[in-house]
Coordinates of all heavy atoms in Angstrom, one line a residue:
M1 N -38.6 -11.6 10.3 CA -38.7 -13.0 9.8 C -37.8 -13.2 8.6 O -37.6 -12.3 7.7 CB -40.1 -13.3 9.4 CG -40.4 -14.7 9.1 SD -42.1 -15.0 8.6 CE -43.0 -14.8 10.2
S2 N -37.2 -14.4 8.5 CA -36.2 -14.6 7.5 C -36.9 -15.0 6.1 O -37.7 -15.8 6.1 CB -35.3 -15.8 7.9 OG -34.6 -16.3 6.8
K3 N -36.5 -14.3 5.1 CA -37.0 -14.6 3.8 C -36.5 -16.0 3.3 O -37.2 -16.7 2.6 CB -36.5 -13.5 2.8 CG -37.3 -13.5 1.5 CD -37.1 -12.3 0.7 CE -38.3 -11.5 0.6 NZ -38.3 -10.4 -0.3
V4 N -35.3 -16.3 3.7 CA -34.8 -17.6 3.3 C -35.7 -18.7 3.8 O -36.1 -19.6 3.0 CB -33.3 -17.8 3.8 CG1 -32.9 -19.3 3.6 CG2 -32.4 -16.9 3.2
Q5 N -36.1 -18.7 5.0 CA -36.9 -19.8 5.6 C -38.3 -19.7 5.1 O -39.0 -20.7 5.1 CB -36.9 -19.7 7.1 CG -35.5 -20.2 7.6 CD -35.3 -20.1 9.1 OE1 -36.2 -19.5 9.8 NE2 -34.2 -20.6 9.6
D6 N -38.8 -18.6 4.6 CA -40.1 -18.5 4.0 C -40.1 -19.0 2.6 O -41.1 -19.7 2.2 CB -40.6 -17.0 4.0 CG -41.0 -16.6 5.4 OD1 -41.2 -17.4 6.3 OD2 -41.0 -15.3 5.6
C7 N -39.1 -18.7 1.9 CA -39.1 -19.0 0.4 C -38.5 -20.3 0.0 O -38.7 -20.8 -1.1 CB -38.4 -17.9 -0.3 SG -39.3 -16.3 -0.1
L8 N -37.6 -20.8 0.9 CA -36.9 -22.1 0.6 C -37.3 -23.1 1.6 O -37.1 -22.9 2.8 CB -35.4 -21.9 0.6 CG -34.8 -20.8 -0.3 CD1 -33.3 -20.7 -0.2 CD2 -35.2 -21.1 -1.8
K9 N -37.9 -24.2 1.1 CA -38.4 -25.2 2.0 C -37.9 -26.6 1.5 O -37.9 -26.9 0.3 CB -39.9 -25.3 2.1 CG -40.5 -24.0 2.4 CD -41.0 -24.0 3.9 CE -41.8 -22.8 4.1 NZ -41.8 -22.4 5.5
I10 N -37.5 -27.4 2.5 CA -37.1 -28.8 2.1 C -38.1 -29.7 2.6 O -38.4 -29.8 3.8 CB -35.7 -29.1 2.7 CG1 -34.6 -28.3 2.0 CG2 -35.4 -30.6 2.4 CD1 -33.2 -28.6 2.4
E11 N -38.8 -30.4 1.7 CA -39.8 -31.5 2.1 C -39.1 -32.8 2.0 O -38.3 -33.1 1.1 CB -41.0 -31.4 1.1 CG -41.8 -30.1 1.3 CD -43.0 -30.1 0.4 OE1 -42.8 -30.5 -0.8 OE2 -44.1 -29.8 0.9
I12 N -39.6 -33.7 2.8 CA -39.0 -35.1 2.9 C -40.0 -36.0 2.3 O -41.2 -36.0 2.7 CB -38.7 -35.5 4.3 CG1 -37.8 -34.5 4.9 CG2 -38.1 -36.9 4.4 CD1 -37.8 -34.5 6.4
F13 N -39.6 -36.8 1.3 CA -40.5 -37.8 0.7 C -40.8 -38.9 1.7 O -40.0 -39.4 2.4 CB -39.9 -38.5 -0.5 CG -39.9 -37.5 -1.7 CD1 -38.7 -37.0 -2.2 CD2 -41.0 -37.3 -2.4 CE1 -38.7 -36.1 -3.3 CE2 -41.1 -36.4 -3.5 CZ -39.9 -35.8 -3.9
A14 N -42.1 -39.4 1.7 CA -42.4 -40.5 2.5 C -41.7 -41.8 2.1 O -41.4 -42.6 2.9 CB -44.0 -40.7 2.5
N15 N -41.6 -41.9 0.8 CA -40.8 -43.1 0.2 C -39.7 -42.5 -0.7 O -40.0 -41.7 -1.6 CB -41.8 -43.9 -0.6 CG -42.9 -44.5 0.2 OD1 -42.7 -45.3 1.1 ND2 -44.1 -44.1 -0.1
T16 N -38.5 -43.0 -0.4 CA -37.4 -42.6 -1.3 C -37.5 -43.3 -2.6 O -38.1 -44.4 -2.7 CB -36.1 -42.9 -0.7 OG1 -35.9 -44.3 -0.5 CG2 -35.9 -42.2 0.7
S17 N -37.0 -42.7 -3.7 CA -36.9 -43.4 -5.0 C -35.6 -43.1 -5.6 O -34.9 -42.1 -5.3 CB -38.0 -42.9 -5.9 OG -37.9 -41.5 -6.0
Y18 N -35.2 -44.1 -6.4 CA -33.8 -44.1 -7.0 C -33.8 -43.4 -8.3 O -34.4 -43.9 -9.3 CB -33.3 -45.5 -7.1 CG -31.9 -45.6 -7.5 CD1 -30.9 -45.4 -6.5 CD2 -31.5 -45.9 -8.7 CE1 -29.6 -45.5 -6.8 CE2 -30.1 -46.0 -9.0 CZ -29.2 -45.8 -8.1 OH -27.8 -46.0 -8.3
R19 N -33.3 -42.2 -8.3 CA -33.2 -41.5 -9.6 C -32.1 -40.4 -9.5 O -31.4 -40.3 -8.5 CB -34.5 -40.9 -10.1 CG -35.3 -40.0 -9.1 CD -36.6 -39.6 -9.8 NE -37.3 -38.7 -9.0 CZ -38.2 -39.1 -8.1 NH1 -38.5 -40.4 -7.9 NH2 -38.9 -38.3 -7.3
K20 N -32.0 -39.6 -10.6 CA -30.9 -38.7 -10.6 C -31.1 -37.5 -9.7 O -32.1 -36.8 -9.8 CB -30.7 -38.2 -12.1 CG -29.4 -37.4 -12.3 CD -29.3 -37.1 -13.8 CE -28.2 -36.1 -14.0 NZ -28.1 -35.8 -15.5
C21 N -30.1 -37.2 -8.8 CA -30.2 -36.0 -8.0 C -30.0 -34.8 -8.8 O -29.0 -34.8 -9.6 CB -29.1 -36.1 -6.9 SG -28.9 -34.6 -5.9
E22 N -30.8 -33.8 -8.6 CA -30.7 -32.6 -9.5 C -29.6 -31.6 -9.0 O -29.4 -30.6 -9.5 CB -32.0 -31.9 -9.5 CG -33.0 -32.8 -10.3 CD -34.4 -32.1 -10.4 OE1 -34.5 -31.0 -10.8 OE2 -35.4 -32.8 -10.0
C23 N -28.9 -32.0 -7.9 CA -27.8 -31.1 -7.4 C -26.5 -31.8 -7.8 O -25.7 -31.2 -8.6 CB -27.9 -31.0 -5.9 SG -26.5 -30.0 -5.2
C24 N -26.2 -33.0 -7.4 CA -24.9 -33.6 -7.7 C -24.9 -34.4 -9.0 O -23.9 -34.7 -9.5 CB -24.5 -34.5 -6.5 SG -25.5 -35.9 -6.3
G25 N -26.1 -34.6 -9.6 CA -26.2 -35.3 -10.9 C -26.0 -36.8 -10.9 O -25.9 -37.4 -11.9
R26 N -25.8 -37.3 -9.7 CA -25.6 -38.8 -9.6 C -26.9 -39.5 -9.3 O -27.8 -39.0 -8.6 CB -24.7 -39.1 -8.4 CG -23.2 -38.8 -8.8 CD -22.3 -39.1 -7.6 NE -22.4 -38.0 -6.7 CZ -21.3 -37.5 -6.1 NH1 -20.1 -38.0 -6.4 NH2 -21.4 -36.5 -5.3
P27 N -27.1 -40.7 -9.9 CA -28.3 -41.5 -9.5 C -28.2 -42.0 -8.1 O -27.2 -42.7 -7.7 CB -28.2 -42.7 -10.5 CG -27.0 -42.5 -11.3 CD -26.2 -41.4 -10.8
K28 N -29.1 -41.6 -7.3 CA -29.1 -42.0 -5.8 C -30.5 -42.1 -5.3 O -31.5 -41.7 -6.0 CB -28.4 -40.9 -5.1 CG -26.9 -40.8 -5.2 CD -26.3 -39.7 -4.3 CE -24.9 -40.1 -3.9 NZ -24.5 -39.2 -2.8
D29 N -30.7 -42.5 -4.1 CA -32.0 -42.4 -3.5 C -32.3 -41.0 -3.2 O -31.5 -40.2 -2.6 CB -31.9 -43.2 -2.1 CG -32.0 -44.7 -2.3 OD1 -32.6 -45.1 -3.3 OD2 -31.5 -45.4 -1.4
I30 N -33.5 -40.6 -3.7 CA -33.9 -39.2 -3.5 C -34.8 -39.1 -2.2 O -35.8 -39.8 -2.1 CB -34.8 -38.8 -4.8 CG1 -33.9 -38.8 -6.0 CG2 -35.3 -37.4 -4.5 CD1 -32.7 -37.9 -6.0
Y31 N -34.3 -38.3 -1.3 CA -34.9 -38.1 0.0 C -35.7 -36.8 0.1 O -36.7 -36.7 0.9 CB -33.9 -38.1 1.1 CG -33.3 -39.4 1.5 CD1 -32.3 -40.1 0.7 CD2 -33.8 -40.1 2.6 CE1 -31.8 -41.3 1.1 CE2 -33.3 -41.3 3.0 CZ -32.3 -41.9 2.3 OH -31.8 -43.1 2.6
F32 N -35.3 -35.8 -0.7 CA -35.8 -34.5 -0.4 C -36.3 -33.8 -1.7 O -35.8 -34.0 -2.8 CB -34.7 -33.6 0.2 CG -34.1 -34.0 1.4 CD1 -32.8 -34.5 1.4 CD2 -34.9 -34.0 2.6 CE1 -32.3 -35.0 2.6 CE2 -34.3 -34.5 3.8 CZ -33.0 -34.9 3.8
R33 N -37.3 -33.0 -1.5 CA -37.7 -32.0 -2.5 C -37.4 -30.6 -2.0 O -37.9 -30.3 -0.9 CB -39.2 -32.2 -3.0 CG -39.5 -31.1 -4.0 CD -41.0 -31.2 -4.5 NE -41.0 -32.3 -5.4 CZ -42.1 -33.0 -5.6 NH1 -43.2 -32.8 -4.9 NH2 -42.1 -34.0 -6.5
F34 N -36.7 -29.9 -2.7 CA -36.3 -28.5 -2.3 C -37.1 -27.5 -3.0 O -37.0 -27.4 -4.2 CB -34.8 -28.4 -2.6 CG -34.2 -27.0 -2.2 CD1 -34.4 -26.4 -1.0 CD2 -33.5 -26.3 -3.1 CE1 -33.9 -25.2 -0.7 CE2 -32.9 -25.1 -2.8 CZ -33.1 -24.5 -1.6
N35 N -38.1 -26.9 -2.4 CA -39.1 -26.0 -3.0 C -38.6 -24.6 -3.0 O -38.2 -24.1 -1.9 CB -40.4 -26.1 -2.3 CG -41.1 -27.4 -2.7 OD1 -40.9 -28.0 -3.7 ND2 -41.9 -27.9 -1.7
V36 N -38.8 -23.9 -4.1 CA -38.5 -22.5 -4.1 C -39.7 -21.7 -4.3 O -40.5 -21.9 -5.3 CB -37.5 -22.2 -5.3 CG1 -37.1 -20.7 -5.4 CG2 -36.2 -23.0 -5.1
K37 N -40.0 -20.8 -3.4 CA -41.3 -20.0 -3.6 C -40.9 -18.6 -4.0 O -39.8 -18.1 -3.8 CB -42.0 -20.0 -2.2 CG -42.5 -21.4 -1.9 CD -43.4 -21.4 -0.7 CE -44.0 -22.8 -0.5 NZ -44.9 -22.8 0.7
D38 N -41.9 -17.8 -4.5 CA -41.6 -16.5 -5.0 C -41.2 -15.6 -3.8 O -41.7 -15.6 -2.7 CB -42.8 -16.0 -5.7 CG -43.9 -15.4 -4.7 OD1 -44.6 -16.3 -4.1 OD2 -44.0 -14.2 -4.6
A39 N -40.2 -14.7 -4.1 CA -39.6 -13.9 -3.1 C -40.5 -12.8 -2.5 O -40.4 -12.4 -1.4 CB -38.3 -13.2 -3.7
D40 N -41.5 -12.4 -3.3 CA -42.4 -11.3 -2.8 C -43.4 -11.8 -1.8 O -43.6 -11.1 -0.8 CB -43.1 -10.7 -4.0 CG -42.1 -9.8 -4.9 OD1 -41.1 -9.4 -4.3 OD2 -42.4 -9.7 -6.1
T41 N -44.0 -12.9 -2.1 CA -45.1 -13.3 -1.2 C -44.8 -14.6 -0.5 O -45.5 -14.9 0.5 CB -46.4 -13.4 -1.9 OG1 -46.3 -14.6 -2.8 CG2 -46.7 -12.2 -2.7
A42 N -43.9 -15.4 -0.9 CA -43.6 -16.7 -0.4 C -44.8 -17.6 -0.4 O -44.9 -18.5 0.4 CB -43.0 -16.6 1.0
S43 N -45.7 -17.3 -1.3 CA -46.9 -18.2 -1.3 C -47.1 -19.0 -2.6 O -47.9 -19.9 -2.7 CB -48.2 -17.3 -1.1 OG -48.3 -16.4 -2.2
M44 N -46.3 -18.6 -3.6 CA -46.4 -19.4 -4.9 C -45.1 -20.2 -5.1 O -44.0 -19.7 -4.9 CB -46.6 -18.4 -6.0 CG -48.0 -17.7 -6.0 SD -48.2 -16.5 -7.3 CE -47.1 -15.2 -6.7
L45 N -45.3 -21.4 -5.6 CA -44.2 -22.2 -5.9 C -43.6 -21.9 -7.2 O -44.2 -21.9 -8.3 CB -44.7 -23.7 -5.9 CG -43.6 -24.8 -5.9 CD1 -42.7 -24.7 -4.7 CD2 -44.3 -26.1 -6.0
V46 N -42.3 -21.5 -7.2 CA -41.6 -21.2 -8.4 C -41.0 -22.5 -9.1 O -41.1 -22.6 -10.3 CB -40.4 -20.3 -8.1 CG1 -39.5 -20.0 -9.3 CG2 -40.9 -19.0 -7.5
G47 N -40.5 -23.4 -8.3 CA -40.0 -24.6 -8.8 C -39.4 -25.5 -7.7 O -39.5 -25.1 -6.5
S48 N -38.8 -26.6 -8.1 CA -38.3 -27.4 -7.1 C -37.1 -28.3 -7.6 O -37.0 -28.5 -8.8 CB -39.3 -28.3 -6.5 OG -39.9 -29.2 -7.4
F49 N -36.3 -28.8 -6.7 CA -35.2 -29.7 -7.1 C -35.4 -31.0 -6.3 O -35.8 -30.9 -5.1 CB -33.9 -29.1 -6.6 CG -33.5 -27.8 -7.3 CD1 -33.9 -26.6 -6.6 CD2 -32.9 -27.7 -8.5 CE1 -33.6 -25.4 -7.2 CE2 -32.5 -26.5 -9.0 CZ -32.9 -25.3 -8.4
E50 N -35.1 -32.1 -6.9 CA -35.2 -33.3 -6.1 C -33.7 -33.7 -5.8 O -32.8 -33.7 -6.6 CB -35.8 -34.4 -7.0 CG -37.3 -34.1 -7.1 CD -38.1 -35.3 -7.8 OE1 -37.5 -36.2 -8.3 OE2 -39.3 -35.2 -7.7
L51 N -33.5 -34.0 -4.5 CA -32.2 -34.1 -3.9 C -31.9 -35.4 -3.2 O -32.8 -35.9 -2.5 CB -31.9 -32.9 -2.9 CG -32.1 -31.5 -3.5 CD1 -31.9 -30.5 -2.4 CD2 -31.1 -31.2 -4.6
C52 N -30.7 -35.9 -3.3 CA -30.3 -37.0 -2.5 C -30.1 -36.6 -1.1 O -30.1 -35.4 -0.7 CB -29.0 -37.6 -3.1 SG -27.5 -36.6 -2.9
K53 N -29.8 -37.6 -0.2 CA -29.7 -37.3 1.2 C -28.5 -36.4 1.4 O -28.7 -35.4 2.2 CB -29.4 -38.7 1.9 CG -29.2 -38.5 3.4 CD -29.1 -39.9 4.1 CE -27.8 -40.5 3.8 NZ -27.6 -41.7 4.6
D54 N -27.4 -36.6 0.8 CA -26.2 -35.7 1.1 C -26.5 -34.3 0.6 O -26.2 -33.3 1.4 CB -25.0 -36.2 0.3 CG -24.5 -37.6 0.9 OD1 -24.9 -37.9 2.0 OD2 -23.8 -38.3 0.1
C55 N -27.0 -34.1 -0.6 CA -27.2 -32.8 -1.1 C -28.3 -32.0 -0.3 O -28.2 -30.9 0.1 CB -27.6 -32.8 -2.5 SG -26.3 -33.4 -3.6
G56 N -29.4 -32.8 0.1 CA -30.4 -32.1 0.9 C -29.9 -31.7 2.2 O -30.3 -30.6 2.7
Q57 N -29.1 -32.5 2.9 CA -28.6 -32.1 4.2 C -27.6 -31.0 4.1 O -27.5 -30.1 4.9 CB -28.0 -33.4 4.8 CG -29.1 -34.4 5.3 CD -28.5 -35.6 6.0 OE1 -27.4 -36.0 5.7 NE2 -29.3 -36.1 6.9
Q58 N -26.8 -31.0 3.0 CA -25.8 -29.9 2.8 C -26.6 -28.6 2.6 O -26.2 -27.5 3.2 CB -24.9 -30.2 1.6 CG -23.9 -31.3 1.9 CD -23.0 -31.0 3.1 OE1 -22.5 -29.9 3.3 NE2 -22.9 -32.0 3.9
I59 N -27.5 -28.6 1.7 CA -28.3 -27.4 1.4 C -29.0 -26.9 2.7 O -29.1 -25.7 3.0 CB -29.2 -27.6 0.2 CG1 -28.4 -27.7 -1.0 CG2 -30.2 -26.4 0.1 CD1 -29.2 -28.1 -2.3
G60 N -29.6 -27.8 3.4 CA -30.3 -27.5 4.6 C -29.4 -26.9 5.7 O -29.7 -25.9 6.3
A61 N -28.2 -27.4 5.8 CA -27.2 -26.9 6.7 C -26.7 -25.5 6.3 O -26.6 -24.6 7.2 CB -26.0 -27.9 6.9
I62 N -26.5 -25.3 5.0 CA -26.0 -24.0 4.6 C -27.0 -22.9 4.7 O -26.7 -21.8 5.2 CB -25.6 -24.1 3.1 CG1 -24.4 -25.0 2.9 CG2 -25.3 -22.7 2.5 CD1 -24.1 -25.5 1.5
L63 N -28.3 -23.3 4.5 CA -29.3 -22.3 4.5 C -30.0 -22.2 5.9 O -30.7 -21.3 6.1 CB -30.4 -22.6 3.5 CG -30.0 -22.6 2.0 CD1 -31.1 -23.1 1.1 CD2 -29.6 -21.2 1.6
G64 N -29.6 -23.1 6.8 CA -30.2 -23.1 8.1 C -31.6 -23.5 8.1 O -32.4 -23.0 8.9
I65 N -32.1 -24.4 7.2 CA -33.4 -24.9 7.2 C -33.4 -26.4 7.5 O -32.4 -27.0 7.3 CB -34.2 -24.5 5.9 CG1 -33.4 -25.1 4.7 CG2 -34.4 -23.0 5.8 CD1 -34.1 -24.7 3.4
E66 N -34.6 -26.8 7.9 CA -34.6 -28.2 8.4 C -34.5 -29.2 7.3 O -35.2 -29.1 6.2 CB -36.0 -28.4 9.1 CG -36.2 -29.8 9.6 CD -36.0 -29.8 11.1 OE1 -35.7 -28.8 11.7 OE2 -36.1 -30.9 11.7
A67 N -33.7 -30.2 7.4 CA -33.6 -31.3 6.5 C -33.2 -32.6 7.2 O -32.1 -33.1 7.1 CB -32.6 -31.0 5.4
S68 N -34.2 -33.1 8.0 CA -33.9 -34.3 8.8 C -34.5 -35.5 8.2 O -35.6 -35.5 7.7 CB -34.5 -34.1 10.2 OG -34.4 -35.3 10.9
I69 N -33.8 -36.6 8.2 CA -34.3 -37.9 7.6 C -34.5 -38.9 8.7 O -34.8 -40.0 8.4 CB -33.4 -38.4 6.6 CG1 -32.0 -38.7 7.2 CG2 -33.3 -37.5 5.4 CD1 -31.2 -39.8 6.4
E70 N -34.4 -38.5 10.0 CA -34.5 -39.5 11.0 C -35.7 -40.4 10.9 O -35.6 -41.6 11.0 CB -34.5 -38.8 12.4 CG -33.1 -38.4 12.8 CD -33.1 -37.5 14.0 OE1 -34.0 -37.7 14.9 OE2 -32.3 -36.5 14.0
H71 N -36.9 -39.8 10.8 CA -38.1 -40.6 10.8 C -38.3 -41.4 9.5 O -39.1 -42.2 9.4 CB -39.3 -39.8 11.1 CG -39.6 -38.7 10.1 ND1 -38.9 -37.5 10.1 CD2 -40.5 -38.6 9.1 CE1 -39.3 -36.8 9.1 NE2 -40.3 -37.4 8.5
V72 N -37.5 -41.0 8.4 CA -37.6 -41.8 7.2 C -36.8 -43.1 7.3 O -37.3 -44.1 6.9 CB -37.1 -40.9 6.0 CG1 -37.1 -41.8 4.7 CG2 -37.9 -39.6 5.8
V73 N -35.6 -42.9 7.8 CA -34.7 -44.1 7.8 C -35.3 -45.2 8.6 O -35.2 -46.4 8.3 CB -33.3 -43.6 8.3 CG1 -32.4 -44.8 8.5 CG2 -32.7 -42.6 7.4
K74 N -35.9 -44.9 9.8 CA -36.3 -45.9 10.7 C -37.4 -46.8 10.1 O -37.5 -48.0 10.4 CB -36.9 -45.3 11.9 CG -35.9 -44.8 12.9 CD -36.5 -44.2 14.1 CE -35.6 -43.3 14.9 NZ -36.3 -42.3 15.6
E75 N -38.2 -46.3 9.2 CA -39.4 -47.0 8.7 C -39.1 -48.1 7.7 O -40.0 -48.8 7.4 CB -40.4 -46.0 8.2 CG -40.8 -45.0 9.3 CD -42.1 -44.3 9.1 OE1 -42.8 -44.7 8.1 OE2 -42.4 -43.4 9.9
F76 N -38.0 -48.1 7.1 CA -37.8 -49.0 6.0 C -36.9 -50.2 6.3 O -35.8 -50.1 6.8 CB -37.2 -48.3 4.8 CG -38.1 -47.3 4.2 CD1 -38.0 -45.9 4.5 CD2 -39.2 -47.7 3.4 CE1 -38.9 -45.1 3.9 CE2 -40.1 -46.9 2.9 CZ -40.0 -45.5 3.1
T77 N -37.5 -51.4 6.2 CA -36.7 -52.6 6.3 C -37.1 -53.4 5.0 O -38.2 -53.8 4.9 CB -37.1 -53.4 7.5 OG1 -38.5 -53.4 7.7 CG2 -36.5 -52.7 8.8
F78 N -36.1 -53.6 4.2 CA -36.4 -54.4 3.0 C -36.0 -55.8 3.2 O -35.1 -56.2 3.9 CB -35.5 -53.8 1.8 CG -35.9 -52.4 1.4 CD1 -35.2 -51.3 1.8 CD2 -37.1 -52.2 0.7 CE1 -35.6 -50.1 1.4 CE2 -37.5 -51.0 0.3 CZ -36.7 -49.9 0.7
G79 N -36.7 -56.7 2.5 CA -36.4 -58.1 2.5 C -37.3 -58.7 3.6 O -37.3 -59.8 3.9
Ligands
LIG1 ZN1 -27.1 -35.2 -4.7

């Protein structure tokens, strides 16, 4: 079993919010929370990063973990 997939998880927010992405440093819609769990047991949360769509998808692609926003995008119609 891969330690990467056990210890690094990308969660998708039900509602995006506009604030500073902790990866690229730009104010953007935040789609993802990237959780880091302890390497020994993968059961305790060490910390997390809040990521914009681009950064979340890049990190997900690099690490080979899921970061899909398909079901988020469909649900929002403003105005
Ligand atoms: Zn970003």
Side-chain angles (χ1 to χ4, degrees):
M1 192 182 285
S2 166
K3 194 166 244 189
V4 170
Q5 287 175 353
D6 289 340
C7 297
L8 303 177
K9 303 258 189 206
I10 294 182
E11 291 181 316
I12 304 161
F13 285 108
N15 299 296
T16 62
S17 56
Y18 190 77
R19 52 182 184 270
K20 190 173 169 182
C21 171
E22 292 179 52
C23 178
C24 65
R26 282 179 279 226
K28 287 184 153 194
D29 282 333
I30 298 300
Y31 282 80
F32 302 109
R33 176 176 284 151
F34 179 49
N35 287 330
V36 180
K37 295 189 177 180
D38 79 285
D40 289 333
T41 68
S43 63
M44 291 178 287
L45 190 62
V46 175
S48 64
F49 302 90
E50 293 190 347
L51 303 175
C52 71
K53 182 173 73 172
D54 292 339
C55 293
Q57 289 182 327
Q58 289 303 314
I59 289 174
I62 292 164
L63 296 175
I65 57 181
E66 181 102 3
S68 169
I69 58 158
E70 282 169 37
H71 62 282
V72 178
V73 175
K74 280 181 202 156
E75 301 200 4
F76 291 101
T77 48
F78 293 103

